[in-house]
Amino acid sequence: MRNICVIGGSRYFGKHLVTLERDAGNHVTVINRGSTEPLPGTTTLVADRDDERQLRAALGTRTFDVVVDQICYTPRQAELARRVFAGRTGRYVMTSTMEVYDPATFATPPPGPAAAPLTEGHLDLAALPAARDTDGGADPATAYAEGKRRAEAVLLSDPEFDTVSVRTAHVLGGGGEDFTGRLAHYTERIAAGRPVDVHPDPRPTSFVHHREIARFLRWAAAGTFTGPVNAASHGALDVTGLSELIGAEAGVRPRYRTVAEGAASPFSFDRSYAMDNGRAARLGFDFSRVEDWLPGAAAESLAHLA
């Protein structure tokens, strides 16, 4: 039995991760603010992860085989976590995002072939600006991506423990698991015969099912590798490919309307930053294909509309 700590982990795919670990016979400790009911068979510590004194008090003398951090968004949070968990764990898995690659969120986009699937090495964390935290005046998408980039840089540079940053693709699930509401955006519009707003030349992006990313995080927590790793189902899709798969499930041919950049639907991008999942595959994770699970997720979303 392993001793697992999950920071966050009370909702969405974090809850799936906690359930997988618990059902495998591991002891799971969840750290959150106490706003949700704890899962049976787990231990909940109530603390604000931004309050170092409160977090240390809640942890007491506890140590863990691995910590999975679901809610690390800024370098300040990463620095605090590195201080608090130094000596408490030998492995730390941070849930990051594919948004770290988005060229639209860089002041100067990184060099490289923008149209190619992006490997982990495409982002040079050491080349990030040295500022301690993100610019509060930045737009939300840029602040989110830059916060994740710099949080990764803090944890991966001169680490106190073996560290992995999992760069997740866009997570999708149907029905009650559609935590962003983005899949519902498509199923509602397509089922009603309303047009999907797209860029003139939409570019592909990467996706992963909500249960697959939970399995991936559990696999990463049990591994021995370190560094950044991309997590995405096989098969990048642009907005029309996504819509066609949903339309086939709905029995409706999607309609499209070309719009200006700011008005496009979610997952319609005018730049490519689909991810290469080759590192994780070589390390032994068996990804699904997006075409295999997206119809089922769309069916769940369509049923949720009824």
Side-chain angles (χ1 to χ4, degrees), residues 69-103:
D69 192 344
Q70 290 280 85
I71 52 172
C72 185
Y73 299 111
T74 71
R76 290 181 187 274
Q77 291 176 331
E79 288 170 354
L80 187 152
R82 186 165 66 174
R83 289 194 302 271
V84 170
F85 287 96
R88 294 180 184 270
T89 188
R91 187 166 180 79
Y92 202 95
V93 178
M94 172 193 164
T95 302
S96 188
T97 174
M98 70 178 298
E99 310 297 346
V100 298
Y101 296 116
D102 185 356

Side-chain angles (χ1 to χ4, degrees), residues 230-254:
N230 293 340
S233 299
H234 296 301
L237 295 173
D238 65 19
V239 64
T240 58
L242 176 70
S243 297
E244 294 299 323
L245 284 172
I246 295 169
E249 194 63 30
V252 177
R253 187 175 184 84

Side-chain angles (χ1 to χ4, degrees), residues 5 8 14 25-26 31 44 48 51 84 86 112 128 137 143 150 193 207 247 278 287 289 298:
C5 176
N26 294 318
I31 299 173
T44 296
D48 181 349
D51 186 324
V84 170
L128 293 180
R150 295 188 189 182
F207 298 92
F287 288 102
R289 296 195 62 81

Side-chain angles (χ1 to χ4, degrees), residues 21-223:
E21 293 287 12
R22 180 200 64 188
D23 292 351
N26 294 318
H27 182 268
V28 185
T29 299
V30 178
I31 299 173
N32 59 35
R33 294 183 178 181
S35 59
T36 58
E37 287 294 320
L39 280 174
T42 67
T43 298
T44 296
L45 303 179
V46 177
D48 181 349
R49 63 106 18 95
D50 292 324
D51 186 324
E52 183 167 351
R53 184 166 58 180
Q54 187 181 115
L55 184 55
R56 287 185 183 275
L59 286 166
T61 60
R62 290 176 176 85
T63 60
F64 306 97
D65 296 305
V66 62
V67 174
V68 181
D69 192 344
Q70 290 280 85
I71 52 172
C72 185
Y73 299 111
T74 71
R76 290 181 187 274
Q77 291 176 331
E79 288 170 354
L80 187 152
R82 186 165 66 174
R83 289 194 302 271
V84 170
F85 287 96
R88 294 180 184 270
T89 188
R91 187 166 180 79
Y92 202 95
V93 178
M94 172 193 164
T95 302
S96 188
T97 174
M98 70 178 298
E99 310 297 346
V100 298
Y101 296 116
D102 185 356
T105 65
F106 286 87
T108 303
L118 298 170
T119 66
E120 292 82 356
H122 188 85
L123 176 61
D124 182 4
L125 294 173
L128 293 180
R132 178 181 174 85
D133 218 332
T134 51
D135 180 2
D139 69 89
T142 297
Y144 174 69
E146 186 66 3
K148 285 289 192 179
R149 283 191 287 263
R150 295 188 189 182
E152 283 193 41
V154 167
L155 289 169
L156 291 169
S157 62
D158 192 23
E160 292 284 350
F161 24 64
D162 289 346
T163 302
V164 178
S165 59
V166 175
R167 294 172 179 169
T168 65
H170 300 297
V171 181
L172 289 182
E177 301 296 343
D178 184 16
F179 67 96
T180 65
R182 292 178 176 179
L183 184 58
H185 170 91
Y186 286 92
T187 54
E188 289 169 3
R189 296 185 76 89
I190 292 169
R194 296 163 59 200
V196 175
D197 294 334
V198 301
H199 287 92
D201 182 23
R203 311 302 297 169
T205 191
S206 295
F207 298 92
V208 67
H209 191 263
H210 64 100
R211 292 193 181 274
E212 183 165 47
I213 193 59
R215 292 193 300 272
F216 187 92
L217 288 167
R218 180 167 184 263
W219 170 82

